[in-house]
Amino acid sequence: MKRVLLGISGGIAAYKSAELVRLLRTNNYDVRVVMTHAATQFITPLTLQALSGHAVHTQLLDANEENAMGHINLARWAELFLIAPASANCMAKLSLGIADDLLSTLYLAAECPVYIAPAMNQAMWSKPVTQENLNRLIHHQVSMIGPDAGSQACGEIGYGRMSEPSDIVAQLNALNAPQLLLNKKILISAGPTREALDPVRYITNRSSGKMGYALAQQAQLLGAEVTLISGPVQLAAPKNIHTLYVESAEEMYAAVMQQVSGQDIFISAAAVADYTPESVPTEKIKKQGTHTQLSLRKTQDIVASVASLMNKPFTVGFAAETHHLEQYALDKLQRKNLDMIAANWVGRAEGGFDSAYNALQVYWQNGQKTFTMTDKNQLASQLLTLIAERLNA
Ligand code: PMT
């Protein structure tokens, strides 16, 4: 029985917590509840005590609690910390490490995986400062569940509605899945490449590396031995993952080909330049005339090269498309001899490059699956679960 600490912050979605506790228990989780003062205005601790079968914790400094289940003990007890609903204020505090009540103090003290189900008005969700807080939390290895889009308690429509309790529990179950990739070696490429034009300029693209890094972290959670080949990104080095940094498409090709032997799976999430300058002068190119021309040559196709190896790993490509998603993805699947391709829309407001969120349309020989818009950690876990299934098929 997995031990879940459920943190409830103040928001109308707190009324869903009763159902969430009930479902967690029927899914074999041992649940202890922590509420902020604001949360107790929406739902009584007594309701959650009755449903969880344990006293509900609300006070940071409580003489009785500190003797029995004080905040450090509670943090140590938890194998998972789920915060649902997480209000905009709660997310802001957690993202900055402000610990001024029991819930936020437990977040700092907890060493277990943390999952957050945001819930707030759509305008509050899309405010840049909330998105910054969200990105900071994701950067700190917090996994997001939702939010969903739809009609809200305030009468508005948009993103910000807390995911349904059944979806939250389904995602927790998936995220705490058995070690599907135990003893599997997996090689993942991530981020953009930089193609030098001269000593001070380069051609690159909008890839942040978030998708590839999420795949690396989730593959590790599923038990895989991960090697990550990363282009230049602003992300922190993933903990305990063998990571090699490269800059150009040529360097990425060399690193992948050097690491690929003995790998069970290769996932090419990197946005590799298709073309690179024919030659790179050693001196800065001087400004001249009103127009200039660049002469580019094709780079080597890394994922196609891996897929053409005699003992090729299960090879998964990505397809980043602005139009004809299915047609172009299926063409890449065949032409590059891939086992699977994960296609995503790019150049749109939501998902794709540099977003914390994405959606995927996945294709393989005689099969396909849709993963709807969610945070990249969650999406990575869904894609890896599918890869594990296909690998064993
Ligand atoms: O990094 P993020 O900001 O999180 O964004 C994620 C992403 C949008 C970059 C990612 O989801 C994605 O789509 N990655 C692939 C981007 C891409 O280059 O797509 P493509 O359709 O141009 O290439 C098809 C496949 O060939 C890709 O697997 C690519 O890695 C591979 N390729 C391309 C060129 C080349 N020379 N070698 C390759 O291996």
Side-chain angles (χ1 to χ4, degrees):
M1 193 181 267
K2 217 147 192 158
R3 299 188 298 269
V4 181
L5 185 59
L6 173 64
I8 305 175
S9 70
I12 181 64
Y15 81 91
K16 294 183 181 175
S17 304
E19 174 66 355
L20 184 55
V21 172
R22 194 191 66 76
L23 280 176
L24 284 167
R25 289 198 70 189
T26 55
N27 275 262
N28 220 17
Y29 291 97
D30 186 5
V31 188
R32 302 288 159 95
V33 178
V34 173
M35 299 174 79
T36 63
H37 174 69
T40 63
Q41 312 284 305
F42 290 94
I43 183 166
T44 68
L46 199 60
T47 306
L48 298 161
Q49 178 176 320
L51 288 166
S52 68
H54 295 281
V56 169
H57 305 264
T58 55
Q59 302 295 325
L60 177 57
L61 301 173
D62 180 319
N64 295 328
E65 288 300 299
E66 287 302 319
N67 286 338
M69 198 69 159
H71 64 276
I72 297 295
N73 281 344
L74 208 46
R76 281 194 195 130
W77 172 87
E79 290 177 286
L80 299 175
F81 191 9
L82 167 65
I83 302 171
S87 64
N89 180 55
C90 173
M91 286 176 65
K93 286 203 299 187
L94 303 187
S95 78
L96 293 171
I98 295 171
D100 61 355
D101 60 13
L102 180 60
L103 194 156
S104 50
T105 304
L106 281 167
Y107 169 74
L108 278 193
E111 292 188 281
C112 61
V114 181
Y115 303 92
I116 283 187
M120 67 198 74
N121 162 270
Q122 54 85 23
M124 291 168 79
W125 172 252
S126 54
K127 251 305 175 284
V129 70
T130 304
Q131 292 299 308
E132 279 166 27
N133 294 334
L134 166 74
N135 283 327
R136 208 173 300 119
L137 286 166
I138 290 172
H139 182 68
H140 293 156
Q141 320 287 330
V142 173
S143 298
M144 294 294 147
I145 301 182
D148 291 350
S151 60
Q152 302 195 302
C154 53
E156 293 178 16
I157 294 175
Y159 271 97
R161 208 170 72 161
M162 188 172 98
S163 295
E164 291 306 317
S166 55
D167 291 340
I168 294 177
V169 175
Q171 293 201 32
L172 267 195
N173 288 341
L175 286 164
N176 292 283
Q179 300 277 283
L180 292 177
L181 295 173
L182 194 64
N183 299 326
K184 295 288 179 222
K185 291 183 79 180
I186 177 162
L187 181 65
I188 297 170
S189 71
T193 62
R194 273 182 192 166
E195 308 305 316
L197 287 168
D198 68 12
V200 294
R201 303 182 181 100
Y202 51 77
I203 306 173
T204 189
N205 58 65
R206 294 181 191 276
S207 170
S208 62
K210 286 176 190 161
M211 191 68 240
Y213 275 52
L215 283 163
Q217 278 153 2
Q218 296 302 318
Q220 189 189 37
L221 285 179
L222 293 176
E225 187 187 321
V226 185
T227 302
L228 177 64
I229 312 277
S230 174
V233 296
Q234 302 297 317
L235 303 174
K239 278 187 210 144
N240 304 323
I241 290 180
H242 178 219
T243 306
L244 299 167
Y245 294 95
V246 298
E247 202 160 296
S248 64
E250 193 177 337
E251 286 173 15
M252 189 170 274
Y253 174 85
V256 168
M257 295 320 259
Q258 201 216 354
Q259 296 293 323
V260 74
S261 145
Q263 298 287 343
D264 298 294
I265 301 165
F266 172 54
I267 307 180
S268 187
V272 187
D274 290 323
Y275 291 91
T276 191
E278 192 108 55
S279 60
V280 186
T282 52
E283 290 176 2
K284 183 182 167 199
I285 301 169
K286 299 304 289 178
K287 181 160 59 180
Q288 47 191 331
T290 54
H291 292 78
T292 190
Q293 282 194 333
L294 289 173
S295 178
L296 305 174
R297 68 175 161 78
K298 226 175 178 172
T299 56
Q300 275 171 295
D301 194 307
I302 303 170
V303 76
S305 305
V306 169
S308 69
L309 293 172
M310 278 274 277
N311 287 322
K312 72 163 182 147
F314 186 91
T315 305
V316 182
F318 267 72
E321 309 296 349
T322 53
H323 53 296
H324 306 311
L325 185 89
E326 176 167 358
Q327 181 193 333
Y328 288 162
L330 287 174
D331 173 63
K332 284 173 187 170
L333 180 74
Q334 303 303 337
R335 196 162 34 83
K336 300 189 186 211
N337 189 32
L338 306 177
D339 295 297
M340 185 181 275
I341 192 149
N344 47 188
W345 291 106
V346 290
R348 296 186 165 195
E350 280 274 329
F353 285 107
D354 200 21
S355 167
Y357 284 72
N358 207 6
L360 292 175
Q361 188 64 46
V362 186
Y363 302 93
W364 61 95
Q365 204 67 48
N366 305 323
Q368 60 173 287
K369 190 153 189 167
T370 304
F371 295 124
T372 56
M373 189 71 71
T374 185
D375 84 89
K376 284 181 177 172
N377 284 329
Q378 173 64 20
L379 194 64
S381 160
Q382 292 171 339
L383 179 61
L384 288 161
T385 303
L386 178 63
I387 291 172
E389 261 172 47
R390 297 306 312 156
L391 197 62
N392 297 325

